[in-house]
Amino acid sequence: EEAAAERADMDRLEPRFLTHPTLALSQSKDVISSMALKAEESVSSAIAARREYDKDLIKKVLDLEGTLDRYEDKLGNYLSKITAADLDEEQSQEVNKYLRVLSDFERMSDHARNIGESATEINEKKLVFSDIAQKELSILEDAINEVTRLAIDAFINNDTNMALRVDSLEEVIDDLCDLVKTHHVERVSKQECSIEKI
């Protein structure tokens, strides 16, 4: 099913559209939107697997990471070919924007893979989170799911206001990360947590 969806997406990147930049860019946007939804699925699956370990979800995250790598390669190639056409200023800016978001969405899947690998390590080593650490991590994960959803919706809907919300939420997440780390260090120093109990 996933392979068929990927083939259908890639079929949209028709070489004959390259002489019609408006059409080629429209097709590219549709395929990038599909890629973005896969990136969102990857992040949410990784977080779900961290919360309650599930080998199938981990496999899904790893598979999606490979899929998103292929999307980035094929779309990057296609967008580079579009630049050979006679583009106006707006079309050139659109190509540049698409190339930037491609790597952003692919990077999301890399981060999801890292979360999935951490979930596997936590499961294998039977590590246990303290209640407070679990609560803090859940708040952070909820924020990550929200910023991922917002970023992808902002791209798909070309919504500048939503994109601005992504920037402010990203700052909140950075602050949350710092806070979670600080609290963990405090718990370790008070011997409320150890390497084995996070």
Side-chain angles (χ1 to χ4, degrees), residues 173-184:
I173 289 172
D174 288 343
D175 292 344
L176 274 172
C177 285
D178 291 342
L179 198 60
V180 167
K181 288 176 193 171
T182 300
H183 288 172
H184 176 64

Side-chain angles (χ1 to χ4, degrees), residues 13-192:
L13 304 177
E14 280 273 354
R16 63 193 166 102
F17 294 157
L18 292 169
T19 54
H20 307 282
T22 302
L23 183 55
L25 285 167
S26 173
Q27 294 296 95
S28 297
K29 169 109 191 294
D30 290 344
V31 177
I32 295 169
S33 295
S34 178
M35 176 189 187
L37 293 171
K38 290 176 184 354
E40 181 180 15
E41 183 181 5
S42 179
V43 170
S44 63
S45 296
I47 288 172
R50 202 287 310 157
R51 289 179 173 179
E52 190 169 326
Y53 187 74
D54 181 329
K55 273 194 257 188
D56 292 336
L57 277 178
I58 299 293
K59 182 182 180 332
K60 181 184 206 174
V61 169
L62 297 176
D63 290 347
L64 280 168
E65 199 255 339
T67 299
L68 285 154
D69 282 346
R70 289 191 299 276
Y71 271 72
E72 183 185 31
D73 288 346
K74 290 175 183 173
L75 278 159
N77 246 337
Y78 193 72
L79 288 165
S80 296
K81 289 176 183 171
I82 293 173
T83 61
D86 189 20
L87 303 181
D88 61 31
E89 183 62 29
E90 190 178 327
Q91 290 169 331
S92 291
Q93 287 177 358
E94 204 169 344
V95 168
N96 288 332
K97 177 177 87 171
Y98 290 171
L99 286 168
R100 275 196 315 276
V101 299
L102 269 186
S103 60
D104 290 341
F105 294 145
E106 192 279 329
R107 197 163 42 250
M108 284 179 182
S109 73
D110 289 343
H111 292 312
R113 184 199 65 226
N114 292 341
I115 294 168
E117 288 170 350
S118 294
T120 300
E121 183 180 355
I122 288 165
N123 181 64
E124 287 171 355
K125 293 182 176 178
K126 308 273 187 254
L127 300 177
V128 179
F129 288 91
S130 66
D131 289 344
I132 188 69
Q134 183 64 44
K135 186 175 181 181
E136 288 177 350
L137 195 52
S138 290
I139 290 168
L140 179 59
E141 289 168 339
D142 288 344
I144 291 168
N145 272 330
E146 177 68 7
V147 77
T148 302
R149 186 188 60 74
L150 273 176
I152 287 163
D153 287 351
F155 173 77
I156 291 172
N157 300 313
N158 201 25
D159 187 329
T160 310
N161 290 329
M162 196 178 290
L164 293 172
R165 287 177 55 205
V166 169
D167 285 342
S168 58
L169 189 51
E170 184 187 1
E171 287 177 28
V172 169
I173 289 172
D174 288 343
D175 292 344
L176 274 172
C177 285
D178 291 342
L179 198 60
V180 167
K181 288 176 193 171
T182 300
H183 288 172
H184 176 64
V185 170
E186 287 170 3
R187 286 191 296 270
V188 169
S189 69
K190 292 177 186 173
Q191 298 183 335
E192 294 168 1

